[in-house]
Amino acid sequence: MRARNERLVLSLVRRHQALAKSEIARMTGLSAQTVSVIMRQLEKDGLLLRGDPVRGKVGQPSVPMRLNPDGAFFFGLKVGRRSTELVLTDFVGKVRQRERRTYDYPTPKAALDFSRESLDKMMSSMPPEAQNRVAGLGIAMPFYLWDWAQTLQVPQGKMDPWRTADLKADLALGYDMPIFLQNDATAACGAELVFGPADGPRDFLYFYVGYFIGGGVVLNGSIFSGRGNAGALGPLPVPDDAGGVKPLIDVASLYVLERSIATAGATSHSIWETTERWDLPEAQLENWLKQTASGIAGGIVSSCSLIDFGCVKIDGWMPSDIKVRLVEMVENKLSDLNLTGLERPSVLAGAVGPDARALGAASLPLSERYLLET
């Protein structure tokens, strides 16, 4: 019970950024004495920091407590179709270190080698006290990678090793820390839930636009994962430009943009190298945005016919100005669709951005050890 109450307090402080003991007692129903004992211990453990006293009109000044950024550290590994990335985050979700490698397609050996090299490099650069506060490693990666050889335009034999690969188990052999694994799009959704706005909606549908589009479902402030891959969204059937139907993944993914640019005889390297600014042909970008917005809007209508989401969030591996354009286009496209019998959800830009998958991976050990659904 004490461990649960400690996680409850840490979760509330994270959500509200800073809270006094009296506020936590009111929110939790715990006695002031119990809260006092818990917060003293969390401060002693280095997880909370004491803020400046806030003086009111009567009584003793309240002292807000906030998370100590150096209280704990987490590794987040993202294995994608075009790149692998490892980040080290602190207790408030700030990225302290980052390593990234791009490639034409992922292989188990390359992912494992990169992970070991990057983990060893980051760990050796941390002082002993910080090393002792590493709480775990989260891995975010697509499931069933071997099924995507044709779409990746890679010989099937190059992807078949993923059928028997177990990256989590291989890393566990060399590192004495808890290791967690989750689908990459679901992990991105988790990052939005953990690191997004404290006053954000408790229920929302989430789209992440990467090499393949995916997503997640949040209900009552928790990710609904079903049997492990619920809310993937990529297979959703949506209308295409030719009057037919295609899976959303073949309409609204970045690989569609990449191939459109290649067909036009231009280069698309900037898509995978950076999200600061994309140097792409405007005609291909505009067409892709229109097609993607139409596909996502269709996916929203289908999803809202099953669950009445009040909010939809859209994020992805893209510059912020392009994300803003996409969100606006989705809003406009929804206005053209028949929503009879449905409540139209609000459409918002995701708050985390391109780092969502890596931060979502890092949030796995964070959530497991320190957080509680509130």
Side-chain angles (χ1 to χ4, degrees), residues 206-287:
Y206 177 86
F207 290 88
Y208 187 90
V209 183
Y211 187 88
F212 292 150
I213 191 171
V217 171
V218 172
L219 299 175
N220 298 320
S222 301
I223 292 177
F224 178 75
S225 58
R227 288 181 291 174
N229 209 28
L233 300 181
L236 270 175
V238 297
D240 62 16
D241 291 338
V245 174
K246 285 184 178 180
L248 181 63
I249 202 168
D250 292 334
V251 173
S253 299
L254 285 177
Y255 89 85
V256 179
L257 174 61
E258 179 186 51
R259 292 185 188 173
S260 172
I261 293 169
T263 300
T267 60
S268 58
H269 300 310
S270 63
I271 293 178
W272 312 119
E273 296 296 335
T274 180
T275 57
E276 291 298 318
R277 179 180 179 275
W278 283 353
D279 184 17
L280 304 176
E282 178 58 29
Q284 278 69 41
L285 177 59
E286 179 70 15
N287 287 337

Side-chain angles (χ1 to χ4, degrees), residues 110-359:
L112 182 59
D113 289 347
F114 167 83
S115 302
R116 287 171 172 165
E117 292 169 11
S118 301
L119 281 167
D120 291 346
K121 180 179 178 180
M122 290 185 183
M123 288 289 285
S124 64
S125 69
M126 300 170 67
E129 170 63 19
Q131 290 184 26
N132 293 334
R133 288 184 173 273
V134 172
L137 163 69
I139 305 171
M141 62 181 292
F143 292 164
Y144 312 112
L145 265 169
W146 58 88
D147 282 342
W148 302 104
Q150 183 176 357
T151 306
L152 286 165
Q153 298 181 324
V154 175
Q156 184 63 51
K158 299 287 188 181
M159 300 299 291
D160 278 342
W162 283 108
R163 294 180 185 273
T164 55
D166 192 335
L167 185 58
K168 176 183 174 183
D170 289 340
L171 288 172
L173 292 175
Y175 299 92
D176 184 20
M177 66 176 78
I179 300 179
F180 306 87
L181 175 68
Q182 193 172 70
N183 172 268
D184 58 339
T186 304
C189 184
E192 182 69 27
L193 189 60
V194 173
F195 301 117
D199 58 351
R202 303 287 284 166
D203 304 294
F204 60 88
L205 182 66
Y206 177 86
F207 290 88
Y208 187 90
V209 183
Y211 187 88
F212 292 150
I213 191 171
V217 171
V218 172
L219 299 175
N220 298 320
S222 301
I223 292 177
F224 178 75
S225 58
R227 288 181 291 174
N229 209 28
L233 300 181
L236 270 175
V238 297
D240 62 16
D241 291 338
V245 174
K246 285 184 178 180
L248 181 63
I249 202 168
D250 292 334
V251 173
S253 299
L254 285 177
Y255 89 85
V256 179
L257 174 61
E258 179 186 51
R259 292 185 188 173
S260 172
I261 293 169
T263 300
T267 60
S268 58
H269 300 310
S270 63
I271 293 178
W272 312 119
E273 296 296 335
T274 180
T275 57
E276 291 298 318
R277 179 180 179 275
W278 283 353
D279 184 17
L280 304 176
E282 178 58 29
Q284 278 69 41
L285 177 59
E286 179 70 15
N287 287 337
W288 175 79
L289 283 169
K290 289 178 179 178
Q291 177 179 307
T292 298
S294 179
I296 291 176
I300 290 172
V301 173
S302 296
S303 300
C304 287
S305 67
L306 294 175
I307 300 174
D308 55 342
F309 294 102
C311 177
V312 175
K313 294 193 175 187
I314 300 173
D315 216 332
W317 178 263
M318 63 184 71
S320 58
D321 62 319
I322 292 178
K323 180 168 66 175
V324 169
R325 288 171 64 182
L326 177 59
V327 170
E328 291 176 351
M329 288 182 174
V330 171
E331 280 273 27
N332 292 336
K333 188 62 183 177
L334 275 178
S335 300
D336 298 334
L337 299 180
N338 185 356
L339 297 175
T340 302
L342 303 176
E343 287 195 25
R344 175 170 173 164
S346 60
V347 181
L348 305 174
V352 180
D355 280 339
R357 290 168 295 181
L359 284 175

